[in-house]
Amino acid sequence: MTGTSRRLVYMAGLLLLLFLSGLAQGAQIRVETDRGDVAADENFQIVFSVEGDVDGEPDFSVLNKDFELLGTSQSRSVSIVNGKTSRTTRYLVNVLPRRSGELMIPPVRFGSDKSPQVKILVKDSAAQGRSSAAGADASVFLEVAVDKEAPYVQQQVMLTVRIFSSISWREASLSEPEFKGGEVLVQKLGEDRSYQKQRAGKNWQVIERRYALFPQQSGEIRMQALNLRLRIPAGRKKRHSPFGGGFNDPFFDDFFSNQSYRNKVVRGKPITLRVKPVPAAFSGGQWLIARDIRLEESWSDDLDKLKTGEPVTRTLAIVADGVTLGQLPDLGMAEIHGLRIYPDEPVAREQATGAGILSTSSRKFAIIPVRPGEYRIPAIALKWWNSETDREEVARIPPRMIKVAGSARVVAPPAPAVPGDMAEKPSGKTDSTREVLPPAISPAADANKWLLAGAVLFLALWLVTLVLFLRLKRRVSASSREEPETMPVAAAADAKAAWKALHESVEKGDAAEMREALLKLAPVVWPEQPPRSLEAMAQRVGEPLSGELQNLSRVLYADENIAWDGQRIEAGMKALHAAIGKKRHGKKQEALRPMYPALKGNPGDI
């Protein structure tokens, strides 16, 4: 081998070694933060600088353990120094610390490459660990409080959130309450209040927001800390004129804002609710807890002056303070022999007040007596638990007696005059439903006669119109309640999904999932007026399904060790649905019962 060949082989080997060493070295990854001091209530950026090429995209999910990821961005740069080209890619990850103390930025994989592990120190926030009064050193802080920490299941809990600030800020957003350990219904109460308050000798601008919380199961439920995200002043920007030197033109300052802002996150304290089960002293069938409950009643007419065939309207209402509409029981009337009772649809209203939720449910009942006599309307009693006195109480409507008279007397017109010998002599007897007038009538009496006859005719026409209207209303109502022969595709899909969810909850044996599945199934079985609770559902069905539904409710709300059978519930619901469907899809519904049966016979039979 000649000297030239040796030199070529030597140079080729040297180039190969340099290439292989470059491959072995791989990409260089550095990790740093955008500033030295990091506080627990402020977001910052973790910067990953990659020199060279990596064979994969970074996976930043490993940061979630100690940091909340707020967003990422990326930039690339190329530099050439002494003929050597280098590429640098910077990944900027905007994060918020989940706690203070020494935190680790774990290695992040970029394909086969990974970044080094870095330790950082996160300081306590300005207001963390202080009381509201002592926290006056902070420019913005949160005050979070509940009116009770150990409520009963389904009892209203008032949550008050106050934002104290001594500076101007912008783009603020407050997170919604979130819970772990159990389901809690959350309702915001009205609009936010804004006012000023002095604390520790310092004036504060306060924004107050209130919520009503309703824990749905007993046990320990934890509300996570609320987060207030906002931008606060960070100093003034340095602006320069394009023609050199600085400028302080007020127009440009106002238009472009020479004030710079930085992101800040303020955390409130977490809250734990220790929810108590239904007390053993409660003897009602359906658990109902409130600050106050009233039963109200009104009638459209005097109960001592009712007549057969003439309708009267009874209105029942329940007014509950500190209760959602889903907790209210259904209003109803028992059947009474001799009275026809036609209920209207309930009218419900839920109102958010400064003191909490006020729910009202009312229902009208058209009552038509079919025969005279005295009737007793039974009393109505509703057992409930007073959250203020912590004891059971009973709301009542006393029994009522109504008196129904026979139909109005019909006055017959006078008999026509006849010649003397053909005139029939009075026998001294009068018909029980007719009043025979003497042939001779004065002009004033004649006028009264026609006025009375006109009134009777008007009353008869009014009664006929009322009968036709009520019959038409019942036919329309009955036809509207009939299910169509073919269910719409969307409704059929919802029904199939509801039955599937019920079956899956049975297989899992999960009481909470079964409750949710049954409430979703309620509109499929009762499309006109689905029950809103397991107790209301149990009242509409017979045994053994009713008992199983009540057992399921006690397991969820009363924290009792009671056995319940999901398979029996599923089978019972399917059998009930089939029975209702068979009744609805029969050849024809039974003709509506006439509201005025006596009209089919003689008028005197009313």
Side-chain angles (χ1 to χ4, degrees), residues 50-100:
V50 180
E51 294 181 1
D53 295 326
V54 292
D55 59 357
E57 291 296 321
D59 180 14
F60 295 121
S61 61
V62 294
L63 301 175
N64 277 315
K65 178 181 178 181
D66 290 325
F67 305 94
E68 181 181 350
L69 300 183
L70 303 179
T72 60
S73 60
Q74 180 180 340
S75 65
R76 297 178 185 272
S77 63
V78 178
S79 63
I80 302 176
V81 179
N82 296 328
K84 182 180 178 181
T85 302
S86 62
R87 292 180 297 274
T88 302
T89 304
R90 299 176 77 240
Y91 297 88
L92 286 76
V93 184
N94 197 15
V95 298
L96 177 70
R98 296 188 184 276
R99 57 185 175 86
S100 59

Side-chain angles (χ1 to χ4, degrees), residues 132-396:
S132 297
D137 295 339
S139 57
V140 182
F141 66 92
L142 278 178
E143 187 177 78
V144 183
V146 291
D147 64 342
K148 54 185 72 67
E149 296 183 350
Y152 286 105
V153 63
Q154 295 186 342
Q155 181 179 356
Q156 177 179 265
V157 178
M158 299 296 296
L159 169 66
T160 304
V161 182
R162 297 184 181 92
I163 304 172
F164 287 77
S165 65
S166 59
I167 59 174
S168 60
W169 41 266
R170 57 174 58 180
E171 301 176 18
S173 64
L174 180 65
S175 62
E176 293 296 318
E178 296 182 358
F179 297 86
K180 289 186 176 181
E183 180 185 1
V184 178
L185 299 181
V186 181
Q187 294 199 31
K188 184 174 177 289
L189 301 177
E191 299 297 326
D192 296 344
R193 293 178 55 213
S194 180
Y195 56 89
Q196 289 187 344
K197 188 179 184 66
Q198 191 174 62
R199 180 170 290 183
K202 187 175 181 179
N203 289 327
W204 295 88
Q205 185 68 30
V206 183
I207 298 177
E208 181 178 294
R209 179 176 294 183
R210 308 193 79 192
Y211 298 89
L213 311 178
F214 297 89
Q216 296 299 297
Q217 62 192 70
S218 59
E220 189 171 282
I221 301 178
R222 180 179 175 85
M223 188 187 82
Q224 301 182 32
L226 297 179
N227 291 330
L228 173 65
R229 303 176 186 273
L230 70 164
R231 292 173 60 82
I232 62 175
R236 293 191 174 274
K237 298 177 182 177
K238 295 181 180 180
R239 298 188 178 276
H240 300 278
S241 168
F243 304 103
F247 64 88
N248 294 315
D249 191 313
F251 171 77
F252 283 94
D253 287 349
D254 293 342
F255 186 81
F256 294 103
S257 178
N258 64 344
Q259 176 71 62
S260 64
Y261 288 83
R262 62 183 175 89
N263 294 326
K264 184 179 180 66
V265 177
V266 181
R267 287 192 176 95
K269 67 175 183 179
I271 290 178
T272 300
L273 299 178
R274 294 177 294 277
V275 185
K276 298 181 290 187
V278 177
F282 182 70
S283 61
Q286 176 180 346
W287 170 243
L288 184 61
I289 182 170
R291 283 201 300 258
D292 183 49
I293 285 185
R294 302 192 314 273
L295 289 178
E296 298 177 350
E297 173 195 43
S298 63
W299 295 80
S300 62
D301 206 346
D302 190 344
L303 300 185
D304 293 331
K305 299 180 180 180
L306 303 182
K307 296 182 180 180
T308 56
E310 295 183 357
V312 63
T313 301
R314 184 193 193 192
T315 303
L316 296 178
I318 176 173
V319 182
D321 186 3
V323 176
T324 64
L325 283 177
Q327 296 171 248
L328 293 182
D330 296 330
L331 294 170
M333 280 188 64
E335 292 186 2
I336 301 175
H337 185 68
L339 302 178
R340 299 282 170 81
I341 302 174
Y342 302 93
D344 281 351
E345 291 297 321
V347 178
R349 186 181 62 156
E350 191 174 83
Q351 181 181 1
T353 69
I357 299 297
L358 182 67
S359 297
T360 304
S361 178
S362 62
R363 195 174 192 182
K364 294 181 180 294
F365 300 84
I367 303 173
I368 302 178
V370 296
R371 55 178 59 88
E374 291 190 357
Y375 298 90
R376 185 179 185 274
I377 308 296
I380 298 178
L382 176 63
K383 294 181 179 180
W384 61 286
W385 194 266
N386 191 320
S387 61
E388 301 297 311
T389 61
D390 198 22
R391 66 179 184 182
E392 181 181 293
E393 295 190 11
V394 181
R396 299 180 184 275

